[in-house]
Amino acid sequence: MTGPHHDDSADAPARPESLRQWARSVRALDLEVASRATLAMVVPLIVLVIAGRVDWAVYATFGGMTALFGRGEPYRLRARSVSIAAVGMLGSIGFGLVMAAIGAPLALLTLGLMAVIVLGVLLISSTGLFPGTPLFFVFAYTVCAQVPTEPGDVLPSLLVGAAGAAFAWLVTMSGWAVRKAAPERSAALFKALPRRPRINRAAYRDRLVWLSIAQMLVGVLVAGGLAILAGIGHPYWAVVSVVAVLPPPGARHSTSRAFHRIFGTVAGVVLTALILLPGPPMWVLILVIGIGQFGAEILVGRHYGAALLFITPLALTVSHLASPASVSELLVDRVVETALGGAVALVIVVITRAGLARAAARRPAPTG
């Protein structure tokens, strides 16, 4: 799974002007990243199916999301970024497992969610991780906290997540060996690696960082609260939608992201219904996760709405593996809560953008 790429790094390609140009730009479509992320997701799932431990699949999947980080970075920098991302993912998985094992009440779960958002934004802002959103940390925490867990299962489940993260780390770094083996062809076969993470050790003092945190905290509390009051069965989807739509610190506040999220999700749910409602076997679910991850990574940097045709089946299949409830209920909840979360995020974006514009207008012009 991937999230919105609010980033101005050089690894984001320009949009081709024609179908022919699009076909010629296939190397620029992050095929390396998509292939690695797909392998990091699918291989651990196949191992768990063979071992008869499908109940651990969700933890391996979230550990595998480590492979989504470090894109476009030289490998000496990528090793650091992916290691930091692995710590963030495992911390979110472990935190969610503990909450599930102690049967945490709603108030404690909410405080935990707020902590994940604050720490996630600070971690990403200070280390320059890309994607620059705590979406994956929030997704891992909220889902793992909802899965019924016995105290004795916390450590084994976390170790499965750690194994998934370690495998993802190795897959993500594998390009170094491939490029090393064919240095004379690397320019022709592989995309450039121009991105340099922007380290900001003083991020905790940055006003924009805390503005982003405040937006997310308000958004998840409002969206999650409304979802719970309405009696919707999967309120974390509303929370995830808010985090996915709101921009990271310093990024432009755009309303189009919310509309892409809502309409793309509706189309993705229709596609997911065609897949999940017939009750497919496990190998089909793994195939859906693999295709979903690959397609999402290919498209998300170019058109978020189109990418959601892949992101939605991927996310819903992961959720279905974590808690095999009624598929029709899961699909309806996804649409309703995505619309709710997107609407809340849209309101916050509009209000924040207006506030920033007023503040800029009141700022005195520089004197020469």
Side-chain angles (χ1 to χ4, degrees):
M1 178 181 176
T2 190
H5 291 176
H6 305 272
D7 190 83
D8 58 357
S9 63
D11 63 330
R15 186 186 303 276
E17 296 178 356
S18 68
L19 182 61
R20 178 175 297 179
Q21 288 174 314
W22 184 88
R24 289 176 178 173
S25 70
V26 67
R27 188 188 62 173
L29 290 179
D30 292 322
L31 291 177
E32 289 181 74
V33 177
S35 300
R36 288 194 300 262
T38 302
L39 283 174
M41 286 273 198
V42 169
V43 171
L45 292 180
I46 294 174
V47 172
L48 290 176
V49 169
I50 295 173
R53 294 307 306 254
V54 181
D55 53 315
W56 282 342
V58 67
Y59 309 113
T61 299
F62 284 126
M65 288 184 183
T66 298
L68 302 178
F69 294 86
R71 59 191 299 136
E73 298 177 11
Y75 285 92
R76 60 185 176 81
L77 300 177
R78 184 179 304 190
R80 174 183 170 278
S81 294
V82 178
S83 298
I84 293 171
V87 171
M89 291 305 304
L90 292 177
S92 302
I93 294 169
F95 197 19
L97 280 166
V98 170
M99 289 291 190
I102 66 175
L106 178 61
L108 186 57
L109 289 171
T110 303
L111 288 175
L113 172 62
M114 296 171 70
V116 170
I117 290 173
V118 173
L119 294 175
V121 173
L122 290 175
L123 177 67
I124 288 169
S125 300
S126 60
T127 59
L129 288 185
F130 177 68
T133 168
L135 172 65
F136 307 109
F137 304 148
V138 169
F139 191 32
Y141 167 77
T142 52
V143 172
C144 292
Q146 299 296 320
V147 179
T149 304
E150 296 295 328
D153 294 333
V154 171
L155 183 57
S157 300
L158 183 59
L159 289 176
V160 170
F167 179 71
W169 193 97
L170 291 173
V171 170
T172 303
M173 297 300 297
S174 63
W176 176 84
V178 175
R179 290 167 188 255
K180 196 79 172 175
E184 70 282 355
R185 295 185 178 182
S186 60
L189 294 178
F190 307 113
K191 60 176 291 188
L193 303 175
R195 187 175 188 275
R196 301 296 188 275
R198 298 170 183 172
I199 307 300
N200 180 15
R201 293 185 175 85
Y204 65 93
R205 296 202 301 255
D206 191 327
R207 180 183 64 86
L208 291 178
V209 169
W210 287 102
L211 174 62
S212 178
I213 290 172
Q215 290 178 99
M216 290 187 184
L217 292 179
V218 171
V220 300
L221 290 175
V222 171
L226 291 174
I228 291 170
L229 288 175
I232 306 174
H234 298 78
Y236 61 83
W237 285 124
V239 167
V240 168
S241 292
V242 169
V243 178
V245 170
L246 290 176
R252 184 172 61 90
H253 283 69
S254 171
T255 57
S256 63
R257 182 71 59 176
F259 290 109
H260 285 176
R261 178 83 184 175
I262 294 170
F263 293 114
T265 295
V266 171
V269 164
V270 173
L271 179 60
T272 308
L274 298 176
I275 298 169
L276 293 184
L277 284 176
M282 180 57 63
W283 68 267
V284 173
L285 299 182
I286 293 176
L287 185 62
V288 169
I289 290 174
I291 294 174
Q293 185 62 70
F294 189 88
E297 287 299 318
I298 290 293
L299 291 172
V300 73
R302 296 186 165 232
H303 195 287
Y304 187 43
L308 279 160
L309 287 172
F310 294 89
I311 294 172
T312 302
L314 165 63
L316 287 172
T317 303
V318 171
S319 181
H320 183 60
L321 287 175
S323 179
S326 166
V327 172
S328 58
E329 179 183 332
L330 178 68
L331 297 175
V332 171
D333 288 352
R334 171 71 169 180
V335 172
V336 173
E337 294 189 25
T338 296
L340 175 60
V344 170
L346 181 60
V347 171
I348 292 175
V349 165
V350 170
I351 292 174
T352 303
R353 190 166 62 180
L356 292 173
R358 286 195 299 269
R362 288 196 299 266
R363 195 175 299 129
T367 57

